Amino acid sequence: MKTDTGDTPKVLVVDDEAGIREGSERILKRMGCRVLTACNGHEGLDILDREPVVLVLLDLKMPGIDGMEVLQRIRDRHAHILVIVITGFATIETAIEAMKQGAYDFIPKPFEPDQLRIVVDRALEKLRLTREAEKLTRERAMTLADLDREKSRTRTIIESLPNGVVVTNAQGQVVLTNPAFLAELGLPLDKPTGSMIHEYVPDEGFCKLVMDISQGCHIDFDDIRPYEFGVSGNRYLMAYAKPVLGERNECLGAVANLTDVTAWKVLERLKSEFVAQVTHELRSPLATIHEQLALVLKDVMEQAPQKDRHLISRAQEKTRGLISTVGDLLDLSRIESGNVGREVKPVAIPTLLENIVSFLNARAQAKAQTLTLTLPDQPLPEVTADPMALESIFGNLIANAINYTPEGGRIEVRAEIAGGAVRVAVQDNGFGIEAKYLDKIFESFYRVKNDKTRFITGTGLGLPIVKGLLDALGGKIFVESKPNQGSTFTVLLPVRPASAESAPM
Ligand code: ADP
């Protein structure tokens, strides 16, 4: 079947009267149509088989095969073609019958050009609207097919991800899982969606996190920390969860991405054990070397020439550096193995700070610095924590203040109550730190290197240790610093130790 898709509609006039054919042809051409004519029904039907006609003007009363029959065949074989019947006054009933048979309109004979124009115009408009509607339907079908293809493509990607993915709705019901998720949790691969999250994941902390996110507690999701939990078979999963937001930033649910971190944890543990073992083995011989070197060299130093004295004091400094590195590494491995905060007890912060300050005062005095401790008038509450961890925290911060402050500088340690916590600030008027390094100094082995700090020995492990210990104790650290003006490291210590269930968030 041929249809006219162009802008010039093709019209066929079927009439045995030459006058009607020619008259109609003239009018239709002026209306911008391409016109074909036939003087009987057979000829008309033949043309329709060959040409993409959209509209037929059909005389009902013709010799041979009559108009009604032609109309029937057009309806059967070319249902899309509109037919306008032309009929004499005497056959108006036939015209009505023709309309019932599916003719679009009729026009009585004889007719004025305007009458024909109006009827044909209406038919062409109807054809145009039909074409438009068909086009829209086709486009809609295509868009739906595209969407469907896109959906199944996304689905395939999610299914083939090596990480587990689970999506919940705002009520916390699971609406999507992938095979990796089901495998990680040891669930049957055909487990359907639709149940609450705790039917899939047996970890309370994870389910609480997902429920909180699903119910919109974390629209500003920068504060959502990765959550690690154990599953059967001594395996560990790390979950990165986020809210699924709608167009108006409303929370539609949560999506969690789960990575199996068992191998990584095993490696980490082995590494920590190795470092702990090696540093432990190194510490006592090193300390012995250092002490014995000091004893032997005390006498030798006085008689030794200037050059040798310099070399000897460098060697001493290096062994002291090594001892402190070994100490730092031991602290780090204690933090990594989770061995911090095991021996908690109530600690009086003023006494602890007094001891550290008086111990480090000798170092400050060697640099002609003033090191002061200011305590509040009212008594500070005792902090329940591991005293070794607290010593390490403040020892590191005060030692740093001494190290990174020039001769004659001022270091002030202040302790006070801050709500339900104890706040300790270590302030110096030393070299300071540029703003761009303030985050970096808490990374392992990171040291700011500039003209002033280049010759100060250190490992870059002090602040990561401080941060690690504070994390374990549920405390916080803040730093404010300006180059050449000084730095203030402020520590907030909770009075009670961090409880296990507050760990995930
Ligand atoms: P280390 O002191 O062994 O280098 P840290 O982790 O304690 O390692 O400190 C990291 C870096 O932070 C130091 O190298 C130093 O550049 C900077 N820093 C730490 N404390 C201060 C301070 N009070 N003033 C200026 N810079 C500091």
Side-chain angles (χ1 to χ4, degrees):
M1 178 182 73
K2 290 179 181 169
T3 53
D4 186 13
T5 51
D7 284 345
T8 315
K10 244 181 200 181
V11 184
L12 171 66
V13 183
V14 187
D15 202 310
D16 57 332
E17 280 182 55
I20 295 278
R21 286 200 305 275
E22 285 153 19
S24 306
E25 187 173 2
R26 247 193 331 274
I27 297 166
L28 290 167
K29 275 189 173 161
R30 261 186 247 134
M31 290 175 75
C33 302
R34 287 178 61 195
V35 186
L36 302 160
T37 55
C39 57
N40 60 51
H42 278 301
E43 200 187 327
L45 289 169
D46 282 350
I47 291 176
L48 291 184
D49 283 340
R50 292 193 311 268
E51 297 287 342
V53 168
V54 293
L55 179 64
V56 174
L57 297 186
L58 176 65
D59 183 17
L60 281 186
K61 263 221 150 354
M62 286 184 292
I65 167 171
D66 86 331
M68 205 57 115
E69 171 108 36
V70 178
L71 173 64
Q72 256 322 320
R73 293 208 201 161
I74 295 177
R75 302 265 21 99
D76 291 348
R77 288 162 62 180
H78 309 281
H80 63 285
I81 296 179
L82 290 190
V83 179
I84 297 170
V85 294
I86 307 172
T87 175
F89 285 116
T91 58
I92 195 92
E93 269 101 51
T94 334
I96 292 168
E97 183 56 28
M99 300 284 284
K100 281 190 195 153
Q101 296 298 320
Y104 172 69
D105 208 342
F106 77 93
I107 181 161
K109 260 189 205 176
F111 50 79
E112 294 294 316
D114 268 354
Q115 275 175 291
L116 180 65
R117 248 181 245 123
I118 289 169
V119 175
V120 169
D121 253 346
R122 203 164 45 215
L124 291 178
E125 179 62 9
K126 150 111 177 147
L127 281 167
R128 195 185 62 73
L129 290 174
T130 310
R131 247 196 336 256
E132 194 76 1
E134 280 169 2
K135 191 170 145 227
L136 287 174
T137 312
R138 265 197 314 276
E139 278 174 6
R140 186 163 165 267
M142 264 168 68
T143 318
L144 286 177
D146 282 352
L147 268 179
D148 208 42
R149 255 198 306 278
E150 190 52 48
K151 235 167 91 180
S152 73
R153 204 168 19 222
T154 313
R155 178 88 220 179
T156 313
I157 293 170
I158 293 173
E159 301 251 305
S160 58
L161 282 177
N163 282 3
V165 175
V166 58
V167 181
T168 56
N169 61 16
Q171 286 76 47
Q173 283 166 322
V174 170
V175 291
L176 186 146
T177 59
N178 71 349
F181 168 80
L182 298 169
E184 279 170 349
L185 272 303
L187 295 166
L189 289 183
D190 58 355
K191 182 164 174 80
T193 54
S195 309
M196 297 302 285
I197 183 69
H198 56 256
E199 304 270 334
Y200 300 77
V201 184
D203 185 89
E204 237 179 75
F206 174 81
C207 294
K208 179 173 178 328
L209 175 65
V210 169
M211 287 305 286
D212 284 353
I213 297 175
S214 302
Q215 287 161 3
C217 304
H218 290 279
I219 293 294
D220 178 15
F221 49 82
D222 280 348
D223 60 341
I224 306 175
R225 301 235 300 263
Y227 176 79
E228 188 188 297
F229 61 101
V231 285
S232 62
N234 277 337
R235 286 175 313 109
Y236 291 88
L237 300 179
M238 182 70 90
Y240 301 87
K242 278 184 173 191
V244 179
L245 300 182
E247 278 176 17
R248 291 182 306 283
N249 248 14
E250 76 279 22
C251 184
L252 305 176
V255 54
N257 180 332
L258 284 88
T259 311
D260 191 326
V261 291
T262 315
W264 178 78
K265 292 246 336 159
V266 170
L267 266 180
E268 277 293 296
R269 203 191 64 232
L270 288 176
K271 191 199 83 187
S272 292
E273 281 172 9
F274 175 75
V275 172
Q277 186 75 22
V278 171
T279 45
H280 188 75
E281 296 292 329
L282 283 175
R283 189 153 72 164
S284 344
L286 260 179
T288 315
I289 291 172
H290 187 69
E291 279 159 25
Q292 290 174 354
L293 198 64
L295 269 179
V296 174
L297 295 181
K298 206 168 162 233
D299 308 328
V300 182
M301 269 296 244
E302 276 147 32
Q303 293 118 39
Q306 175 70 27
K307 190 173 91 299
D308 292 351
R309 263 191 257 167
H310 177 70
L311 281 176
I312 291 165
S313 57
R314 288 283 291 159
Q316 256 187 312
E317 212 175 281
K318 290 285 173 199
T319 39
R320 198 182 304 120
L322 267 178
I323 291 170
S324 115
T325 308
V326 164
D328 284 352
L329 285 172
L330 269 177
D331 275 350
L332 259 192
S333 53
R334 251 167 33 102
I335 295 169
E336 282 170 5
S337 62
N339 264 344
V340 176
R342 291 267 166 88
E343 287 160 36
V344 292
K345 55 180 180 189
V347 180
I349 294 295
T351 318
L352 182 110
L353 290 176
E354 272 158 8
N355 288 339
I356 300 172
V357 165
S358 80
F359 177 71
L360 289 173
N361 210 12
R363 266 209 239 174
Q365 276 171 2
K367 289 180 81 178
Q369 295 166 335
T370 46
L371 171 59
T372 55
L373 170 65
T374 311
L375 295 169
D377 295 336
Q378 69 273 49
L380 280 176
E382 288 190 322
V383 168
T384 307
D386 180 346
M388 292 258 286
L390 293 177
E391 267 172 34
S392 183
I393 292 169
F394 297 116
N396 265 303
L397 292 180
I398 301 170
N400 274 352
I402 295 171
N403 283 342
Y404 299 102
T405 298
E407 305 233 331
R410 210 175 52 246
I411 294 132
E412 208 185 320
V413 183
R414 286 187 308 271
E416 57 197 359
I417 302 177
V422 170
R423 180 164 52 215
V424 180
V426 179
Q427 184 173 9
D428 63 58
N429 62 349
F431 303 136
I433 306 159
E434 280 184 69
K436 61 181 173 188
Y437 300 127
L438 286 179
D439 278 345
K440 293 225 169 1
I441 54 175
F442 293 96
E443 290 170 11
S444 292
F445 301 106
Y446 191 86
R447 307 199 66 222
V448 181
K449 292 240 167 85
N450 56 35
D451 291 347
K452 294 189 174 121
T453 60
R454 195 172 307 280
F455 299 107
I456 300 168
T457 44
T459 55
L461 289 174
L463 290 179
I465 288 172
V466 170
K467 177 86 173 54
L469 291 171
L470 280 168
D471 283 348
L473 301 179
K476 286 196 165 45
I477 181 159
F478 310 92
V479 52
E480 285 167 276
S481 188
K482 286 231 170 77
N484 300 322
Q485 291 188 24
S487 316
T488 306
F489 286 81
T490 306
V491 166
L492 269 185
L493 286 173
V495 172
R496 302 262 143 257
S499 66
E501 66 268 31
S502 69
M505 296 302 305

